[in-house]
Amino acid sequence: MSKAKKSPSRKTTSRHDDALAAHRRWLERADEVAHQPVSHGGSPHPTVKVGAVLVDARGREIASAANRFAHGVDRRRPERYKSGSKSLWINCAEQLAIASALRKHANIKDAKLYVTLEPCAVCAGMIGELHIKQVFVPVGSMRRYAKLKNKWKDSIEIGIIKLTEAGTQVTAIDM
């Protein structure tokens, strides 16, 4: 009888370990996307480079993006990087990844979103509206972004509340 109990628990642990490893790989992928050269879609933000990867129910990447200027918007204009206006010019990684998936007509049912920073209030509203039920972030992600302004910290706190109320599970993964 004790052998039967041990065997399933090992399988459960193994499945848990496999899932944890997969979550870590996707979060690492999101970080890679954020830190790609700007010419390849990486973030132009000088201090807060955020990446997002949307993964389908089968575990395949649907879309990925970094926080950056929208296609066609001139990122070379220095006034667009001034403190206080960057957030008006640079779109969130989650928005851009989801928009990319929708442009491709990808099936986002049961998709998982991996983001290097918890979603802001606006992105959280969109995630909830699209019924994305799982979001994964690194443990202590806000601490990784030392220069994150208080307005973004406040927005993230609201975003977490919105996601929770929308039934979206936010899971922090120890990297």
Side-chain angles (χ1 to χ4, degrees), residues 68-88:
R68 60 170 173 73
F69 292 90
H71 287 290
V73 176
D74 188 355
R75 64 177 165 78
R76 296 170 299 200
R77 298 184 65 171
E79 68 273 12
R80 295 179 178 174
Y81 291 89
K82 287 183 181 172
S83 184
S85 67
K86 280 189 300 265
S87 62
L88 300 174

Side-chain angles (χ1 to χ4, degrees), residues 37-58:
V38 174
S39 60
H40 291 97
S43 175
H45 197 288
T47 58
V48 182
K49 296 179 182 296
V50 179
V53 177
L54 193 61
V55 176
D56 71 12
R58 293 183 184 169

Side-chain angles (χ1 to χ4, degrees), residues 23-42:
H23 295 319
R24 286 180 177 142
R25 281 193 305 275
W26 286 119
L27 286 169
E28 287 168 3
R29 169 76 178 124
D31 195 57
E32 288 170 9
V33 169
H35 288 90
Q36 293 179 110
V38 174
S39 60
H40 291 97

Side-chain angles (χ1 to χ4, degrees), residues 83-122:
S83 184
S85 67
K86 280 189 300 265
S87 62
L88 300 174
W89 288 103
I90 295 178
N91 293 62
C92 294
E94 303 93 319
Q95 294 171 4
L96 295 168
I98 291 167
S100 175
L102 295 175
R103 273 195 310 277
K104 295 186 241 179
H105 304 285
N107 181 2
I108 63 169
K109 184 178 183 340
D110 299 322
K112 297 173 183 162
L113 183 62
Y114 293 86
V115 191
T116 60
L117 180 65
E118 288 91 341
C120 71
V122 172

